[in-house]
Amino acid sequence: MSEQHSFQAETQQLLNILIHSLYTEKEIFLRELISNASDALNRLQFEMLTNDDVVDPQAELEIHIELDEEAKTLTVSDTGIGMNRDEIIAGLGTIAKSGAKAFIEAMADKPDDAAAIIGQFGVGFYSAFMVAKQVDVVSRSFRPEDEAVKWSATGGTNYSLETVEKDVRGAEVVIHLKDDEDEFTRGFRIKDIIRRHSDYVAFPIYVGDDEEPTNKQQAIWRRAPSEVEDEEYDSFYKMLTMDFVGASHHIHLRADVPMQFDALLFLPGSGQQNMFSPRKEPGLKLYARKVLIEEYNRELLPEYLSFVQGVVDSEDLPLSVTRESIQATRVMASLKKTITRRILSELKRMAKNDRDKYLTIYQEFGGYLKQGLVIESEDRADLEPLMFFQTTQDDDPSKFHTLDEYVERMSENQDDIYYVVADDYPSGARSPHLDAFRQRGIEVLYFTHPVDAMLPMGLADFKGRKLVSVDSAELDLEAVGEAGESDKAAKAALETDAFRALTERVKATLGGRVSDVRESKTLVDSPARLVSEDDSGNRYMFRINRMLDQDYELPVKALELNPRHALMHNLGGMIAGGGNAELVDAVVEQVFETALLQDGIHPDPSSMADRLTLLMQAATGSVGADLDFAGAHTVISEPATVETPQIDLGDLGDLDVEDGEGAIPR
């Protein structure tokens, strides 16, 4: 007896989208039904490894498609795992479990992308309603004690369920085609769809009375690479990932010793997350003797290669063990080592022989490889040649250089490799830390990728040469390179007593926000810089925490002042001449926060706006104006709070902006 059940509200939205979609490639419904049948066969195959109590265990694992032009029906049947009553209600009646909400939201965002969306949220079965006026599913579970059940729906608000007789294990999906969809009852049309979308399904697909399967059946990764065309690789990758941008490169492996396995791996064309991809997790598809063991195996590759997509099929994996124990076997460890080495070898070959192609991949996935340098020390020798950096060699952000190329160009008496950490290339190029390096012709690497802040923890040296940050407090470049002239005419250094008074005033103003204030040995054209006295590998961990939106404290650094810079001369003169104290303190605050900004570590740059406005007023001749700095303080917070003193500048009537001792340079 038939029972009536109601679909959930979301089901109506989803079915309405599918039934009334203007989507033209309706043929993908067949791809989805075949994919579901293949999944059912894979699940049964795995179940039978440990369970002998299965309905009709001798039945062949196959997919059949029957066509009836007169009745206008298309039937897809399989001998897979099947469903019992509860499973069919959960799988087909409660559509929310199939990701309907996510599907509906995706369709609302991109209504023209149904081809990529259908099936990617587990709603592929319902794509049948694009061509069907009614869908019947007759299913019998693999469990001998379960009864067969029939599910039927017309795309309305209800579906029906009834107990039926079915001798054969598996599911039978009957599509009652709409009047204008009779093309899907023609054998040549169905075979064409199968060859284009489902040629690599691992089980035979028979159409009508054909004795030979329509699909090739032999998985593409088990064929000799010389027999596979580029178009076939491209088609398989898109079928696997739904990434219609295509892969940037593929690696086809076949090995007999020391173990027998086949693998087909892809480097995606884009590092952007594809919201429509069926592969929502990292990991390779793992087969053992053609049986799908795991959809997402994360043990075959190190984490830094998790962007790689593809399949691995091994003849040496034991089938009688669980997924968990597979991951602990020697075979898995050996597979991981072999596949990892092969990928790294291919990347090194590409970096050497096809640099432009490699750099395209590197700019998408270089962050992963850099993580590998930090996390996987045993792979360091393979990863180092894959590192490319922008440098001050040409100051061209489109140019990238290897560490070997840097070493070959090192300046006279240079022992170390220098780098600057910045948020981006323009910030790094303007860093005051580069003053002396540019003057002496010493090349510096730009570390501007978010992951680069971690590199010093894993790349402390290269071929015996230490990597040194340009903000190091211990820099001594006197004997390195050859000093050139500054672009600006440099003054003589501020007199010793005046400079001592200046540093004491700066210390008093900044307090515990700096560890020290002292003369710089390296600044040329910049007035000040912040230097790190911590040379440990984790000196930039605050950047990592900031990137991860975790709590962090601003590092307390030493402030180095350039005694030859005009600004320091002016400040020294104001202090010596008893100039406006509030203005001196405001300029000191601005020097410090500008140094924070140049290092990319100012937590709130916009907070400087009020002070900058008042300083500009003073600099442009606001003599006698009531410039009140009380509201122009900065609060550096999250989580460390450093407050700048509130300053009331008051009357600046005694400040001679044009010629006075404390004049601000224009």
Side-chain angles (χ1 to χ4, degrees):
M1 183 176 178
S2 177
E3 301 173 5
Q4 294 298 311
H5 297 259
S6 296
F7 281 120
Q8 292 184 341
E10 283 181 343
T11 306
Q12 291 305 302
Q13 292 178 265
L14 183 142
L15 291 176
N16 185 65
I17 290 172
L18 292 174
I19 294 171
H20 299 99
S21 172
L22 297 179
Y23 176 50
T24 56
E25 295 181 43
K26 298 177 182 178
E27 65 185 41
I28 64 98
F29 85 89
L30 185 59
R31 178 196 70 191
E32 296 301 325
L33 296 182
I34 291 174
S35 177
N36 289 346
S38 177
D39 289 344
L41 290 164
N42 270 315
R43 290 175 60 196
L44 177 76
Q45 199 174 38
F46 188 81
E47 182 69 32
M48 291 176 68
L49 297 176
T50 56
N51 185 0
D52 295 329
D53 192 17
V54 172
V55 171
D56 199 4
Q58 303 305 317
E60 295 292 334
L61 301 180
E62 56 194 17
I63 301 169
H64 280 269
I65 298 176
E66 299 294 335
L67 308 173
D68 189 329
E69 288 190 57
E70 185 175 344
K72 286 191 176 180
T73 61
L74 179 151
T75 303
V76 179
S77 59
D78 64 71
T79 54
I81 200 163
M83 293 178 284
N84 61 21
R85 180 188 179 85
D86 292 338
E87 289 166 339
I88 209 166
I89 291 175
L92 302 183
T94 311
I95 206 167
K97 290 191 176 180
S98 298
K101 185 176 181 180
F103 173 86
I104 291 166
E105 291 173 352
M107 283 296 293
D109 292 338
K110 295 193 175 184
D112 296 327
D113 282 354
I117 299 173
I118 290 174
Q120 308 324 309
F121 295 96
V123 297
F125 166 78
Y126 300 95
S127 63
F129 285 97
M130 290 191 298
V131 299
K133 57 186 178 183
Q134 178 176 323
V135 178
D136 300 330
V137 178
V138 180
S139 180
R140 179 171 181 181
S141 166
F142 73 98
R143 306 177 191 90
E145 67 274 13
D146 288 339
E147 293 183 313
V149 62
K150 178 181 179 181
W151 178 98
S152 184
T154 59
T157 59
N158 300 319
Y159 65 91
S160 66
L161 276 177
E162 61 179 304
T163 301
V164 295
E165 293 295 326
K166 188 177 191 300
D167 297 330
V168 182
R169 174 198 68 228
E172 184 179 285
V173 182
V174 183
I175 308 298
H176 299 268
L177 294 163
K178 297 175 182 177
D179 292 340
D180 57 349
E181 304 293 354
D182 56 351
E183 63 175 297
F184 297 112
T185 63
R186 300 183 184 124
F188 71 89
R189 177 79 166 100
I190 299 304
K191 291 177 182 179
D192 178 63
I193 296 171
I194 292 170
R195 292 187 181 109
R196 283 188 291 111
H197 293 294
S198 307
D199 214 18
Y200 306 118
V201 169
F203 304 98
I205 304 172
Y206 297 95
V207 177
D209 297 327
D210 290 353
E211 294 183 1
E212 295 294 327
T214 299
N215 59 325
K216 290 180 180 176
Q217 196 178 160
Q218 183 185 14
I220 187 173
W221 59 86
R222 282 184 167 262
R223 293 163 56 190
S226 60
E227 298 175 357
V228 184
E229 301 291 337
D230 288 342
E231 292 78 7
E232 293 180 278
Y233 286 123
D234 183 61
S235 176
F236 178 76
Y237 171 76
K238 291 176 179 177
M239 182 183 72
L240 175 72
T241 65
M242 280 300 176
D243 176 10
F244 292 101
V245 173
S248 59
H249 191 69
H250 70 265
I251 303 171
H252 195 164
L253 307 177
R254 306 195 77 198
D256 293 319
V257 290
M259 69 191 71
Q260 186 174 352
F261 75 93
D262 298 271
L264 180 53
L265 310 172
F266 295 93
L267 307 182
S270 172
Q272 296 297 318
Q273 178 66 38
N274 176 11
M275 68 175 290
F276 306 127
S277 174
R279 302 192 62 74
K280 297 297 183 184
E281 303 174 29
L284 302 177
K285 295 186 75 167
L286 175 62
Y287 289 81
R289 304 178 192 174
K290 302 181 184 180
V291 178
L292 180 63
I293 299 297
E294 280 191 274
E295 181 71 26
Y296 301 99
N297 184 283
R298 304 182 69 168
E299 304 301 317
L300 287 167
L301 290 175
E303 187 175 349
Y304 68 83
L305 290 178
S306 61
F307 62 91
V308 177
Q309 300 275 8
V311 299
V312 175
D313 190 347
S314 174
E315 293 291 324
D316 295 323
L317 282 174
L319 291 176
S320 58
V321 294
T322 65
R323 290 179 173 86
E324 289 73 18
S325 62
I326 283 178
Q327 296 173 1
T329 64
R330 292 183 179 180
V331 176
M332 287 294 290
S334 184
L335 270 175
K336 177 180 179 179
K337 182 177 181 180
T338 302
I339 294 170
T340 299
R341 291 288 176 264
R342 184 64 178 85
I343 294 174
L344 294 177
S345 176
E346 182 68 9
L347 288 174
K348 285 190 289 184
R349 183 202 63 77
M350 195 188 308
K352 181 178 180 180
N353 301 326
D354 195 347
R355 188 169 180 139
D356 289 344
K357 180 177 181 180
Y358 174 75
L359 285 176
T360 299
I361 296 171
Y362 181 75
Q363 290 181 66
E364 293 290 336
F365 303 107
Y368 288 86
L369 301 176
K370 290 173 181 177
Q371 288 181 53
L373 267 182
V374 179
I375 299 170
E376 303 283 351
S377 58
E378 64 270 21
D379 293 341
R380 179 175 167 181
D382 290 312
L383 288 166
E384 285 178 345
L386 300 177
M387 298 295 109
F388 281 72
F389 301 95
Q390 298 155 313
T391 83
T392 58
Q393 162 71 12
D394 36 40
D395 275 327
D396 182 348
S398 68
K399 303 291 185 182
F400 287 79
H401 306 270
T402 66
L403 293 171
D404 276 320
E405 290 167 346
Y406 178 99
V407 170
E408 290 174 3
R409 296 192 295 259
M410 286 174 63
S411 301
E412 183 179 358
N413 298 325
Q414 181 180 348
D415 296 322
D416 299 324
I417 297 171
Y418 298 103
Y419 65 90
V420 57
V421 177
D423 288 341
D424 49 47
Y425 179 88
S427 300
R430 291 192 294 264
S431 173
H433 301 300
L434 298 183
D435 277 8
F437 293 89
R438 286 206 167 99
Q439 186 190 41
R440 292 180 170 274
I442 304 170
E443 187 174 0
V444 177
L445 304 172
Y446 288 114
F447 280 12
T448 57
H449 190 282
V451 177
D452 288 350
M454 294 194 303
L455 276 182
M457 292 186 282
L459 190 63
D461 61 84
F462 176 71
K463 294 187 175 179
R465 299 183 182 273
K466 185 179 178 181
L467 267 75
V468 176
S469 174
V470 295
D471 76 340
S472 173
E474 303 301 323
L475 277 182
D476 184 0
L477 303 177
E478 287 295 323
V480 183
E482 184 176 346
E485 293 297 324
S486 170
D487 292 337
K488 301 176 183 176
K491 286 187 175 183
L494 196 61
E495 293 183 359
T496 302
D497 290 344
F499 188 74
R500 183 183 301 111
L502 172 61
T503 57
E504 289 176 356
R505 180 60 172 275
V506 174
K507 287 180 183 178
T509 302
L510 298 180
R513 286 174 286 172
V514 293
S515 60
D516 192 16
V517 180
R518 57 177 178 251
E519 178 182 352
S520 172
K521 298 178 182 179
T522 61
L523 287 172
V524 178
D525 297 327
S526 300
R529 74 175 189 139
L530 288 166
V531 298
S532 297
E533 298 179 295
D534 174 14
D535 285 330
S536 65
N538 62 355
R539 63 193 294 185
Y540 297 112
M541 274 307 298
F542 74 94
R543 287 181 178 269
I544 303 299
N545 290 331
R546 182 180 63 183
M547 179 180 69
L548 298 175
D549 290 328
Q550 297 179 359
D551 289 344
Y552 67 94
E553 293 185 7
L554 283 178
V556 177
K557 299 187 176 187
L559 181 66
E560 290 189 351
L561 304 178
N562 182 357
R564 291 164 295 281
H565 197 278
L567 178 57
M568 297 301 112
H569 276 269
N570 288 351
L571 278 174
M574 289 181 70
I575 294 169
N580 190 290
E582 290 84 356
L583 180 59
V584 170
D585 287 345
V587 173
V588 169
E589 293 286 348
Q590 195 57 49
V591 168
F592 170 65
E593 291 198 31
T594 298
L596 286 175
L597 189 66
Q598 289 173 317
D599 273 6
I601 60 176
H602 198 302
D604 185 15
S606 64
S607 64
M608 298 189 298
D610 290 342
R611 186 194 305 116
L612 285 170
T613 298
L614 293 173
L615 287 172
M616 287 187 289
Q617 282 184 250
T620 53
S622 297
V623 179
D626 183 16
L627 300 183
D628 184 2
F629 274 78
H633 69 282
T634 300
V635 178
I636 300 175
S637 59
E638 292 300 332
T641 300
V642 183
E643 295 188 1
T644 302
Q646 299 186 7
I647 304 169
D648 185 352
L649 195 57
D651 187 4
L652 293 180
D654 62 345
L655 175 61
D656 183 350
V657 176
E658 292 294 327
D659 304 311
E661 185 71 17
I664 299 175
R666 302 188 178 212

